[in-house]
Amino acid sequence: MSDKFHTELNRLKQDTTEMAQFARDMLRESLDALFNQDTEKALQVYSRKKHIRDVTIALEDRTYQLIALYQPMAKDMRLIACTLKMITAAERIGRYGKDIADMVKDLRDQPDFPQRLPIPHMADLVLGMIDDVIVAYKTENLDPIKNFTSRDDTVDALWLSILREMLTFMMENPQTITRSAYYIMVARYLERSGDHACKMAENIHYMITGEWIEIE
Amino acid sequence: MTSEPIISTNDLNLWYHDTHALQSISMTISKNQVTALIGPSGCGKSTLLRCFNRLNDLIDCVKIRGEILLDNENIHAAGTDVVMLRKKVGMVFQKPNPFPKSVYENVAYGPRVHGIKNKGELDSIVEQSLRDAALWDEVRDRLHDSALGLSGGQQQRLCIARTLAVEPKVILMDEPCSALDPIATAKIEKLIDALKQDYTVIIVTHNMQQAARVSNYTGFMYLGKLIEFGQTNQIFENPREDLTENYITGRFG
């Protein structure tokens, strides 16, 4: 009985890891499509929205079944609790990818900025946090998530900086309003994805140690 | 959650012949709390429970070393009245064991042995005990019928009423629900929760979910040792010992 439970629990964890990776790829590829004005790739990312929704429901359903059938305790319970949070956060991240992908076609005819913007850098930082969260969850290791407070501070600072920069562009040149407004949303989605990564890191810390920490 | 202690054991050891069944157990049971003892079969949890009212005295080959204090008095001290001890520390067993008498007589038996003869007083004790055991409404019209005609769950609550009738301080329960169906079990669990207002309950159970549901403190025992003792939510959420973790997550036992 318990062997069956642990086999199913391990499989759930593996599938959740894959789902998080899938969501992370949606975000990464949507940003690539945005930066390269690749509408075909954007469409392709957008089309994954049904899959991520279906996988989310299926994984949540399996999690609730394990709770109902086996009443897990201690680290099994903590793994299940963390898994539920991982599923929710990963779905959000995947959906941000879908939303960003949806912007690409609207920006096709909008003038681009002559300057380099910090959004690609911000994207790398946030995706790095998501990658580390997935590794920490998969390997049950705290090392990849230990500096999350300062990493999230950097992301937050970039978000404010991009917001200010975009407002300036809009005031200087109304022709940039559409692109600026969209980029504000992209930066905001990245900032939120960073927060989701922090939330996942808190839950992984609880899963591994049984203790709660706060990443601010 | 802090509470004053009612029972404490200090380096308690027990042997059955050469078998060292309890090894250096030191623990404190809090007053008006429910404490659960869990662990695999043969770990010593029932033996420990039976130490608290000296039921092991009835077994010839048992040798006990160490101290058990009830309200700061050593229950093994010379001059301890074992009958009075068992009045203070009542016990409910795995299988309901009502006397082959009426419902009323089952409950009145204890107070009568302890000298209460007045019918009015006995009537009142019987009613109050049955009410406290959440059985009164089901048996008020059949007080003089045989207790053996009650269902298993009712018989077990009658045994609890019988224990309550002599006004114990502590109630020991040894797998009180293992012979009962889920509905009768739920009634006993609800009752245990209510009983802690007035009594201290120590329960031995194989059912970890039950321990998690009913108790405030949990002790995990393994091979005669108390491996871990703590607040129930801590034991089931984040146990400190690997053995406890492995047992409650079903990796052994």
Side-chain angles (χ1 to χ4, degrees):
Chain A
M1 190 76 167
S2 93
D3 280 352
K4 188 172 170 234
F5 167 63
H6 288 115
T7 306
E8 287 191 30
L9 191 57
N10 286 336
R11 202 171 293 149
L12 174 74
K13 187 179 169 204
Q14 200 177 323
D15 293 348
T16 303
T17 308
E18 281 173 22
M19 183 259 191
Q21 189 68 44
F22 182 86
R24 176 259 181 227
D25 290 346
M26 280 179 77
L27 183 62
R28 170 79 268 171
E29 290 175 37
S30 72
L31 291 159
D32 290 345
L34 179 75
F35 300 145
N36 301 323
Q37 281 300 314
D38 185 342
T39 43
E40 203 165 308
K41 183 170 213 162
L43 271 176
Q44 207 258 329
V45 173
Y46 187 83
S47 70
R48 294 181 214 163
K49 70 171 186 176
K50 183 176 183 316
H51 180 73
I52 190 108
R53 177 85 192 120
D54 291 348
V55 173
T56 299
I57 292 171
L59 285 174
E60 282 182 352
D61 200 39
R62 277 166 62 190
T63 313
Y64 297 138
Q65 271 186 27
L66 288 182
I67 294 170
L69 296 178
Y70 299 99
Q71 293 102 45
M73 302 263 195
K75 67 179 175 192
D76 295 340
M77 181 279 289
R78 302 200 306 265
L79 170 58
I80 288 216
C82 181
T83 298
L84 272 173
K85 298 281 189 178
M86 287 289 290
I87 295 166
T88 308
E91 192 209 9
R92 290 309 319 158
I93 288 169
R95 288 181 67 86
Y96 287 139
K98 180 225 36 158
D99 290 341
I100 293 169
D102 199 29
M103 295 175 188
V104 175
K105 64 177 185 326
D106 296 345
L107 290 175
R108 191 171 42 198
D109 302 324
Q110 296 294 324
D112 208 349
F113 303 118
Q115 308 87 325
R116 270 179 66 83
L117 295 172
I119 291 185
H121 174 55
M122 186 184 183
D124 288 344
L125 292 182
V126 169
L127 283 156
M129 289 171 79
I130 296 169
D131 285 339
D132 285 343
V133 150
I134 294 172
V135 171
Y137 173 75
K138 186 178 175 183
T139 59
E140 301 191 10
N141 178 4
L142 291 172
D143 283 345
I145 54 173
K146 66 183 174 199
N147 293 326
F148 262 39
T149 301
S150 70
R151 291 167 77 177
D152 192 47
D153 286 347
T154 310
V155 169
D156 287 348
L158 281 168
W159 148 239
L160 286 174
S161 149
I162 291 165
L163 176 65
R164 275 200 306 270
E165 200 170 4
M166 294 300 135
L167 289 172
T168 312
F169 287 160
M170 288 193 276
M171 284 186 285
E172 283 173 356
N173 178 6
Q175 290 212 314
T176 65
I177 285 180
T178 304
R179 186 173 285 273
S180 298
Y182 275 63
Y183 277 19
I184 288 173
M185 282 199 280
V186 171
R188 177 67 172 156
Y189 292 163
L190 286 172
E191 185 272 333
R192 295 301 308 141
S193 296
D195 280 353
H196 284 302
C198 290
K199 262 285 164 257
M200 288 192 273
E202 287 175 357
N203 279 278
I204 291 165
H205 191 280
Y206 171 70
M207 172 181 86
I208 296 171
T209 66
E211 308 285 339
W212 284 103
I213 53 160
E214 193 175 358
I215 297 171
E216 293 184 88
Chain B
M1 191 164 56
T2 52
S3 177
E4 67 177 289
I6 187 161
I7 291 179
S8 55
T9 71
N10 186 15
D11 198 19
L12 179 69
N13 287 274
L14 181 147
W15 290 261
Y16 291 111
H17 291 295
D18 295 333
T19 307
H20 199 174
L22 293 179
Q23 301 178 24
S24 195
I25 309 275
S26 296
M27 69 191 300
T28 300
I29 305 287
S30 299
K31 195 172 178 178
N32 293 111
Q33 302 286 330
V34 179
T35 299
L37 297 173
I38 59 169
S41 297
C43 69
K45 54 192 189 298
S46 290
T47 302
L48 176 60
L49 193 75
R50 294 152 66 95
C51 284
F52 295 137
N53 65 352
R54 287 182 55 178
L55 267 194
N56 293 314
D57 288 13
L58 306 174
I59 305 167
D60 285 341
C61 61
V62 163
K63 188 173 77 182
I64 298 173
R65 293 281 176 277
E67 215 174 37
I68 302 176
L69 303 178
L70 171 66
D71 279 338
N72 293 317
E73 286 180 24
N74 187 344
I75 67 168
H76 289 112
T80 299
D81 181 341
V82 179
V83 174
M84 284 311 286
L85 171 68
R86 291 181 190 145
K87 178 175 177 294
K88 277 191 205 166
V89 184
M91 188 149 187
V92 177
F93 295 88
Q94 187 169 4
K95 203 162 165 266
N97 56 352
F99 302 134
K101 291 170 177 285
S102 70
V103 171
Y104 183 96
E105 285 303 323
N106 262 276
V107 185
Y109 186 86
R112 215 180 254 138
V113 167
H114 286 286
I116 297 171
K117 306 284 182 212
N118 179 295
K119 176 148 188 339
E121 201 177 339
L122 279 175
D123 285 354
S124 139
I125 290 173
V126 168
E127 178 175 341
Q128 193 54 49
S129 303
L130 288 168
R131 281 188 189 282
D132 288 349
L135 188 60
W136 175 253
D137 290 341
E138 292 165 55
V139 298
R140 61 192 304 170
D141 299 325
R142 45 201 284 213
L143 288 176
H144 299 288
D145 292 358
S146 170
L148 302 179
L150 300 178
S151 73
Q154 288 172 328
Q155 287 188 12
Q156 193 63 306
R157 277 179 285 144
L158 178 64
C159 293
I160 293 172
R162 191 174 66 187
T163 306
L164 299 181
V166 295
E167 297 182 329
K169 292 184 167 187
V170 179
I171 304 168
L172 309 176
M173 297 188 172
D174 193 353
E175 300 268 4
C177 302
S178 62
L180 305 182
D181 65 60
I183 296 192
T185 297
K187 284 186 182 168
I188 301 277
E189 288 181 2
K190 194 173 160 203
L191 174 59
I192 291 171
D193 195 53
L195 288 175
K196 75 176 183 211
Q197 300 298 321
D198 300 308
Y199 309 92
T200 302
V201 178
I202 310 176
I203 178 171
V204 159
T205 174
H206 267 112
N207 181 333
M208 280 180 290
Q209 276 74 31
Q210 180 170 68
R213 284 192 298 265
V214 303
S215 70
N216 307 104
Y217 292 90
T218 297
F220 167 61
M221 296 184 68
Y222 184 63
L223 299 178
K225 292 182 180 140
L226 181 66
I227 304 295
E228 187 166 356
F229 185 78
Q231 290 191 8
T232 296
N233 55 359
Q234 177 257 314
I235 296 283
F236 287 102
E237 191 182 334
N238 189 16
R240 293 195 181 91
E241 302 294 328
D242 288 345
L243 264 176
T244 318
E245 174 94 49
N246 290 339
Y247 178 69
I248 63 176
T249 57
R251 286 174 170 83
F252 79 88

